[in-house]
Amino acid sequence: MSGFSDIQIPPRVAKGVLRGDRNALADTYRLLARAVMNLASRILQDRGLAEEVVQDTFIDLVEKAEQIKNVDAIRPWVRRVAVNHCLMRLRSPWHARRSDADAEEIFASSEPDNSMEWAVQLPTLEQALGALSDEARAVVWLHDVEGYTHKEIGELMGKTASFSKSQLARAYEKLLKWQDQLNVEQAQLQDTAVKQETEGQHAKTTLGNIGSPCTP
């Protein structure tokens, strides 16, 4: 889903990156920018911040390309830098306060009295991820999509592997709860539709009987 695993950097371009060649760096940007944007958008749930991550990631590539040891390390290096920039933004107190409020708003929208709106507004994986805490969302994406191990995630976050495992377990629990709620809402919508259709057929039959000519 992130796109990193499907992207191949041509050898000529990769060798140019290691030399700091501007054209090669521009080609690498064109190849990887969309994957970085997708990763950052999923983790941060904010397009503006994701665009900042894309910009900062490739500025780092331009300034620090000499740190990359070999051509095969370019793609993992870019991904790791992008993840680090995402985590830096998640640690921002302002972002934490805002994202907590957003999560509460999303779950509040599942109240029974607005079931139709909730079923329409929360049908996607991205919206489900948006209902998780920042750390839980990052762990889910890094582990399940990007393929990081719990040990690697713990190191990225300055935590332990156990922390990553517990965050993933809690996220799964919350996502399952979200899915169960969605299933209930969809079932209620279907029941309402069937009831309305039945009532409509009954009304047509009644009106038809009323309009029928009386037999002597």
Side-chain angles (χ1 to χ4, degrees):
M1 295 170 69
S2 71
F4 276 100
S5 61
D6 300 325
I7 298 172
Q8 298 297 325
I9 301 176
R12 174 187 58 79
V13 174
K15 291 177 183 178
V17 169
L18 299 185
R19 297 194 306 269
D21 180 81
R22 292 283 170 159
N23 291 330
L25 289 165
D27 288 340
T28 303
Y29 172 83
R30 284 189 286 270
L31 287 168
L32 297 179
R34 184 172 182 178
V36 173
M37 183 66 184
N38 193 33
L39 180 152
S41 296
R42 297 289 196 243
I43 292 178
L44 297 172
Q45 296 288 294
D46 185 295
R47 183 173 181 83
L49 291 178
E51 290 173 346
E52 291 179 9
V53 168
V54 174
Q55 176 178 308
D56 291 348
T57 296
F58 286 99
I59 287 175
D60 284 349
L61 180 62
V62 170
E63 295 178 348
K64 303 174 183 178
E66 72 278 1
Q67 296 180 4
I68 304 175
K69 303 301 182 182
N70 56 70
V71 294
D72 294 330
I74 294 174
R75 188 177 60 185
W77 189 93
V78 170
R79 184 176 68 167
R80 184 174 64 254
V81 170
V83 169
N84 284 334
H85 278 298
C86 289
L87 295 179
M88 286 172 56
R89 283 160 175 80
L90 291 184
R91 295 186 189 108
S92 164
W94 176 83
H95 180 78
R97 287 194 299 270
R98 186 192 63 174
S99 61
D100 286 345
D102 289 345
E104 291 298 326
E105 181 179 349
I106 288 173
F107 277 114
S109 68
S110 64
E111 292 295 328
D113 62 349
N114 64 338
S115 58
M116 182 175 292
E117 289 80 2
W118 184 76
V120 170
Q121 291 171 2
L122 289 178
T124 67
L125 169 64
E126 185 170 355
Q127 289 166 320
L129 290 173
L132 299 175
S133 69
D134 289 338
E135 288 181 330
R137 182 172 62 252
V139 169
V140 168
W141 191 263
L142 293 176
H143 183 272
D144 289 359
V145 179
E146 299 297 339
Y148 282 85
T149 66
H150 287 299
K151 180 181 179 181
E152 290 170 335
I153 295 171
E155 290 173 350
L156 283 168
M157 294 185 167
K159 306 283 187 178
T160 64
S162 296
F163 168 84
S164 176
K165 292 177 182 178
S166 64
Q167 286 291 320
L168 189 65
R170 292 172 187 171
Y172 284 166
E173 182 179 355
K174 183 168 284 190
L175 289 173
L176 285 172
K177 177 182 176 182
W178 176 85
Q179 184 62 56
D180 288 343
Q181 289 175 329
L182 181 58
N183 290 339
V184 169
E185 298 294 343
Q186 289 175 335
Q188 290 175 345
L189 288 175
Q190 290 173 356
D191 288 345
T192 299
V194 170
K195 182 178 179 181
Q196 290 174 343
E197 183 178 357
T198 301
E199 291 175 348
Q201 291 295 334
H202 179 71
K204 288 181 180 179
T205 301
T206 301
L207 290 173
N209 291 335
I210 294 173
S212 299
C214 295
T215 56

